[in-house]
Amino acid sequence: LISMEAANNVEVVLSALEAARKSMGMSKAELARRGRLPAETVRRLLTSKGTNPHFAMLADLLRPAGQGTGCKTSATADW
């Protein structure tokens, strides 16, 4: 799981995502497919500096990479 402190720094989260992807032997294209995002978007996120993705986009990519946010979404929250 990504800590909340790390989640405040996009570069730390993207670095952890990239490390997890590589350790799983997963291509960027496969990560994109599993995260239901365009491959070009994922490639740009993982190779460009200064990206600023939406939280939902990061969450969509962290799950298939074996990472998680530790956050409940409104769909799973106990209200």
Side-chain angles (χ1 to χ4, degrees):
L1 288 174
I2 301 294
S3 71
M4 289 307 290
E5 292 82 22
N8 288 326
N9 186 332
V10 172
E11 288 185 26
V12 171
V13 174
L14 290 174
S15 179
L17 174 61
E18 179 69 350
R21 179 192 70 78
K22 285 180 178 180
S23 73
M24 295 174 72
M26 186 185 307
S27 70
K28 291 177 184 126
E30 178 63 14
L31 178 62
R33 186 187 69 74
R34 291 183 186 193
R36 297 185 189 122
L37 293 167
E40 177 63 21
T41 299
V42 173
R43 186 196 61 75
R44 194 172 330 128
L45 279 174
L46 297 178
T47 59
S48 299
K49 297 291 180 191
T51 58
N52 190 19
H54 295 279
F55 179 80
M57 182 184 296
L58 287 176
D60 287 345
L61 294 174
L62 288 168
R63 285 185 202 99
Q67 303 295 307
T69 60
C71 298
K72 290 184 177 183
T73 63
S74 59
T76 60
D78 298 326
W79 297 104

